[in-house]
Structures are given as structure tokens and as C-alpha cells.
Amino acid sequence: MGRLSIVVLFTPELARQREFYEKSLGMSAASAAARWVQFGTRDAALALRALDAGEKPRIELGFDVGSLDGRLSQLNGRGVKPVGKLEESPDCRIARVADPEGNVIQLVERQKPTAPGPWPRLSHAIVNSARFATA
């Protein structure tokens, strides 16, 4: 598995969360759209994504992989199946898998490296687990 490249916080209140990260924590948005805000960080990106009605807030962790097809084949051999559809854009291809508690992990094959910037470093992400041994 490659490096942790993104942490996505899914939120029902995107504007409120964005305001907190910008005004309270002093972070600046590197990119934004109607349902997405990505903050400038070094090493791993921090992003907020709006939820659809009825969806529960959650976090997704994204890891870079050299070959998405190769990694999916390897995981399939271990009994791990993708969840949802493969996403493709000019920047990357993303597949998702779930851990035993349903936490989603993105496998990200980038078309080009992430641009460096004068951003704060995201040092780590913590995933709390009720069934730690199986996760």
C-alpha cells in the first residue's frame, strides 16, 4: 500500500465545517466546489465533502497505489471486494474497499503527483474501532 494521501470528512454541514477549518484552525482552501473543499496540506490532503440527505457523517482514508488494477487483483485474492463504482477523472482513478467495521478506504491511482505547497503537514489520522483485532 502506498502513502496515506487523503482524509475525507463527509459532513451534512459543509459551510459550517469549512468555516471552522478556515477561521478557527487558519487553514486555506486549495480547491473548492459546491460540494467539496480541499485544504492545502503537505503529504496528505484534508477534504470536506457534502452529504446527501439521509447519509451519515463518516471519514474515508485514501492511499496512493501504483497500479489500481494490480492492487484490486491482489486484494481480490485475499477476499477483499470493491464497494461502489470505480471513479475515473483526468487526475486519478479511485476504487473503494471497506474494513470489517465498514470504514471505507480509497485506493487512489494518480495520473500526476500532488503539487507541493507551503501547507501545514497532516501528520496522522486515527480510526477508532470497536473490533480492533479484525480491523
Side-chain angles (χ1 to χ4, degrees), residues 12-113:
E13 298 187 41
L14 182 64
R16 185 182 76 159
Q17 286 285 68
R18 180 177 183 174
E19 182 177 357
F20 172 80
Y21 281 92
E22 289 180 338
K23 291 185 179 174
S24 298
L25 297 184
M27 299 181 75
S28 59
S31 64
R35 298 176 49 84
W36 175 267
V37 178
Q38 185 166 319
F39 295 98
T41 59
R42 288 185 293 154
D43 299 330
L46 174 62
L48 303 175
R49 188 168 185 175
L51 288 170
D52 292 323
E55 284 188 289
K56 293 182 181 180
R58 64 187 188 276
I59 295 174
E60 285 188 15
L61 303 176
F63 292 90
D64 285 349
V65 297
S67 166
L68 185 57
D69 295 331
R71 179 60 68 171
L72 289 173
S73 177
Q74 181 183 49
L75 292 174
N76 186 51
R78 297 176 184 166
V80 179
K81 308 287 185 218
V83 294
K85 299 184 304 185
L86 177 73
E87 288 184 30
E88 296 194 50
S89 75
D91 297 326
C92 64
R93 296 172 63 219
I94 300 173
R96 291 174 172 80
V97 298
D99 72 12
E101 292 190 356
N103 297 304
V104 176
I105 296 106
Q106 298 178 9
L107 306 173
V108 183
E109 179 185 84
R110 298 191 182 280
Q111 302 303 321
K112 56 186 177 184

Side-chain angles (χ1 to χ4, degrees), residues 5-18:
S5 60
I6 190 165
V7 175
V8 183
L9 307 175
F10 288 80
T11 176
E13 298 187 41
L14 182 64
R16 185 182 76 159
Q17 286 285 68
R18 180 177 183 174

